[in-house]
Amino acid sequence: MIHKFTLYGTNMVVDVNSGAVHIFDEVAFEVLDYYKKCDSTEIVDKLCAKYEKAQILEAIQELEELESRGELFYEDAYRDYLNLWDRKPVVKALCLHVSHDCNLRCKYCFAATGNFGGERTNMDPEIGKRAIDFLIQQSGNRRNLEIDFFGGEPLLNFEAVKEVVAYALSKEKEHNKKFKFTLTTNALLLNEEHKKYINEHIQNIVLSIDGRAETNDRMRFRLDGSGTYESIIPKIKDLADSRNQDNYYVRGTFTRENLDFASDVLHLADQGFEQISVEPVVAAKGTGYDIREEDLPVLFKEYEKLAYEYVDRRKSGQFFNFFHFMIDLSQGPCVAKRLGGCGSGHEYLAITPEGDIYPCHQFVGMDEFKMGNVNEATLDDRIQNKFKDTNIYTKPECVKCWAKFYCSGGCAANSYQFHNDINIPYSIGCELEKKRVECALWIKTQE
Amino acid sequence: MKHIKTINGSTLKDTLTNGGCGECQTSCQSACKTSCTVANQSCQKK
């Protein structure tokens, strides 16, 4: 399978199954349309009015060379390996919901403004410690383990964060594990004490901000309706600088109300942030701010615009990373990882303040997905295996898709939200992902 | 080659031999939390 596209005058060809990426000139790009369907004479006949015969034959020869190297029309050889990688599931990451309360009432919150449809509660540190024990117990021989402190708003229960971190670190040597911690916060409560602790103990921090003040404050506001931009911007700038502009992300959401989201990304870059992630909202139809099919052409243009500016700025020394444009072509994840996706439901689980276990933060509160409780150290392996056995080959839409090894089948929660089935991808998400990958590949050609 | 420039070879295919250790970061943890891109994760072995 191949995918060919042109962006800003660059003709690109992705050989999906081998992972090869090529730039083609006009002749080769056009010859490729006929290469598998016609012989050399027929191709020359079809294209001789436009190109010289010698050029056409050269292009054909080069395509043959790529094919012989396994870098063009390489067959999908990976399905046969699924059994080889089919092992007993291990858990290697937990999303700890240390607080199901929030000091904001963001309009688009998937967590029902922080409580996930339940009580507004904080996690007792003892529950957090049981979650660490549970992770160690479920992690088999995996050495690298991850904990993400999430909410609601985790700074509303920062003492629990500190206790759980200390407990996890105290268990590392005994169990030969290495913990990494991340924390996702709206930054409103962020103070010097938090900053010091976070910089010493938390390897990655995600700071929520949507971009320009009017964009941010339209969606992200306090209980009294007041927006957060003015309060958080100095705090998160300071935190980002204190981490040498690394090991953090400013992370925003765009909605139908700011389809010109590239301006929000660039606004964040203009504020000096170098690690930026701004993503499409996943919202139900009828909310008014949900992304619709008819918005896609506008959003595609925005991604293209952002890609162009991204290259231009980086060339002129105004460096920033955009999370979805970062693709490591040569040192990226192995094919086993790419087949399976994010690991939700088997490698990655979410824990509520009560210790209940769910496939990921986005499934929290859905009774049919409750997998157990850390206090009882139970785990429903029926649900775990269902998620483990889901991969790009169990999703008919993914099998056909050229971008499957870049996105790895998309988000299970989004699939379930739109189709009640984790094997049917959310199509708007797919279209946006494909556009982002095209832009990311084009960016590679400009480096 | 005169007409084609390869910017990345068959790196995906090559990972068949040494992949699948599972020590890599879970993709959703790093920044996104809503939309999945696995290809920007790094391999712990490299």
Side-chain angles (χ1 to χ4, degrees):
Chain A
M1 180 190 282
I2 60 159
H3 173 64
K4 64 194 285 258
F5 66 98
T6 302
L7 187 56
Y8 292 122
T10 304
N11 301 318
M12 301 195 61
V13 176
V14 180
D15 187 49
V16 174
N17 296 320
S18 70
V21 181
H22 314 282
I23 301 173
F24 278 41
D25 71 2
E26 288 299 326
V27 192
F29 203 57
E30 213 159 329
V31 165
L32 185 60
D33 291 337
Y34 304 106
Y35 177 69
K36 283 297 208 186
K37 301 169 198 152
C38 310
D39 64 25
S40 300
T41 317
E42 288 170 320
I43 298 174
V44 170
D45 283 346
K46 283 180 186 297
L47 297 176
C48 64
K50 210 166 167 188
Y51 307 108
E52 288 174 19
K53 183 181 174 184
Q55 280 189 311
I56 298 167
L57 291 173
E58 272 171 6
I60 293 171
Q61 204 176 4
E62 290 183 16
L63 292 178
E64 286 168 350
E65 194 181 324
L66 287 188
E67 200 176 357
S68 70
R69 291 205 312 238
E71 293 178 359
L72 196 67
F73 298 111
Y74 184 70
E75 289 295 322
D76 183 344
Y78 309 125
R79 195 190 286 261
D80 300 339
Y81 284 80
L82 285 173
N83 288 339
L84 191 72
W85 294 317
D86 186 22
R87 299 169 189 147
K88 187 177 178 295
V90 292
V91 184
K92 60 183 188 182
L94 293 181
C95 180
L96 284 193
H97 293 218
V98 287
S99 179
H100 268 190
D101 197 0
C102 191
N103 45 354
L104 300 187
R105 291 295 180 267
C106 302
K107 200 168 160 185
Y108 51 40
C109 183
F110 71 89
T113 68
N115 65 356
F116 290 81
E119 297 288 313
R120 291 196 176 273
T121 51
N122 282 340
M123 179 182 278
D124 187 293
E126 290 307 312
I127 300 275
K129 292 174 189 173
R130 295 296 76 75
I132 297 297
D133 293 337
F134 170 79
L135 177 57
I136 291 170
Q137 175 215 326
Q138 295 284 332
S139 61
N141 292 328
R142 288 287 184 285
R143 182 157 190 272
N144 294 310
L145 305 179
E146 297 162 51
I147 299 289
D148 185 30
F149 294 104
F150 200 61
E153 169 51 44
L155 295 190
L156 288 172
N157 194 13
F158 200 62
E159 287 308 311
V161 171
K162 292 201 280 192
E163 274 197 54
V164 172
V165 167
Y167 183 76
L169 294 177
S170 76
K171 295 285 175 184
E172 279 189 333
K173 202 171 172 188
E174 179 189 347
H175 297 282
N176 189 31
K177 302 293 180 188
K178 180 77 190 153
F179 280 94
K180 283 185 184 169
F181 305 99
T182 62
L183 187 142
T184 301
T185 177
N186 63 38
L188 203 59
L189 294 173
L190 197 62
N191 61 30
E192 286 298 316
E193 187 201 330
H194 297 133
K195 184 174 87 177
K196 185 170 183 299
Y197 182 86
I198 287 166
N199 286 347
E200 284 170 6
H201 295 91
I202 305 290
Q203 280 77 13
N204 189 42
I205 181 156
V206 180
L207 303 157
S208 301
I209 182 170
D210 285 349
R212 295 164 291 184
E214 61 272 28
T215 303
N216 185 80
D217 292 353
R218 191 188 301 126
M219 284 286 164
R220 306 184 60 80
F221 40 81
R222 299 172 178 85
L223 276 68
D224 66 5
S226 60
T228 61
Y229 182 91
E230 286 302 327
S231 302
I232 63 170
I233 198 88
K235 294 183 186 195
I236 61 176
K237 273 186 186 177
D238 178 52
L239 185 64
D241 284 339
S242 74
R243 296 172 77 85
N244 297 318
Q245 288 294 331
D246 203 2
N247 300 312
Y248 81 94
Y249 277 98
V250 284
R251 195 275 186 211
T253 299
F254 69 82
T255 73
R256 193 160 203 269
E257 296 186 21
N258 63 314
L259 294 176
D260 62 342
F261 73 92
S263 301
D264 290 293
V265 176
L266 296 174
H267 173 81
L268 293 170
D270 289 340
Q271 302 308 304
F273 295 113
E274 293 186 12
Q275 312 297 339
I276 301 171
S277 179
V278 174
E279 312 204 12
V281 72
V282 180
K285 282 179 185 165
T287 53
Y289 52 80
D290 56 304
I291 308 285
R292 300 167 201 175
E293 199 86 31
E294 65 260 35
D295 301 327
L296 290 175
V298 179
L299 293 175
F300 292 165
K301 283 283 165 217
E302 280 296 299
Y303 277 120
E304 288 179 9
K305 194 169 100 182
L306 183 59
Y308 190 87
E309 186 74 16
Y310 189 72
V311 168
D312 199 45
R313 288 191 181 205
R314 285 160 68 112
K315 276 183 181 164
S316 65
Q318 297 168 271
F319 178 87
F320 75 98
N321 276 324
F322 181 64
F323 183 70
H324 282 120
F325 285 167
M326 293 160 65
I327 283 187
D328 188 342
L329 288 176
S330 58
Q331 304 284 310
C334 63
V335 70
K337 167 88 168 171
R338 291 174 191 241
L339 294 174
C342 72
S344 66
H346 58 113
E347 292 182 331
Y348 165 70
L349 304 171
I351 313 294
T352 69
E354 295 76 28
D356 291 336
I357 305 166
Y358 288 91
C360 86
H361 54 288
Q362 296 215 46
F363 285 99
V364 165
M366 296 185 197
D367 289 342
E368 66 273 34
F369 284 100
K370 189 177 158 186
M371 299 172 73
N373 188 287
V374 295
N375 284 314
E376 294 136 25
T378 53
L379 188 64
D380 183 339
D381 59 3
R382 190 182 46 87
I383 297 178
Q384 191 183 25
N385 281 318
K386 183 175 170 54
F387 277 82
K388 178 180 75 69
D389 294 337
T390 299
N391 57 62
I392 56 172
Y393 297 111
T394 63
K395 302 174 185 181
E397 287 304 314
C398 297
V399 171
K400 299 184 279 190
C401 177
W402 68 267
K404 57 182 172 248
F405 293 118
Y406 296 100
C407 94
S408 304
C411 168
N414 294 170
S415 296
Y416 191 77
Q417 183 184 343
F418 283 87
H419 302 290
N420 283 323
D421 185 341
I422 61 172
N423 278 303
I424 306 176
Y426 162 56
S427 60
I428 288 178
C430 293
E431 293 310 310
L432 293 172
E433 173 70 7
K434 283 188 270 188
K435 188 60 183 180
R436 290 193 292 257
V437 173
E438 284 188 352
C439 290
L441 293 174
W442 174 78
I443 288 164
K444 287 284 172 198
T445 69
Q446 304 300 304
E447 287 173 349
Chain B
M1 286 192 181
K2 274 173 67 180
H3 302 276
I4 299 168
K5 183 181 169 194
T6 296
I7 60 165
N8 188 61
S10 56
T11 47
L12 189 57
K13 183 173 56 148
D14 298 344
T15 65
L16 264 181
T17 46
N18 62 355
C21 77
E23 290 292 350
C24 48
Q25 190 179 28
T26 48
S27 8
C28 209
Q29 293 283 77
S30 52
C32 57
K33 288 286 186 191
T34 49
S35 62
C36 192
T37 298
V38 171
N40 59 12
Q41 306 289 307
S42 56
C43 173
Q44 290 291 319
K45 282 186 176 175
K46 292 173 184 168

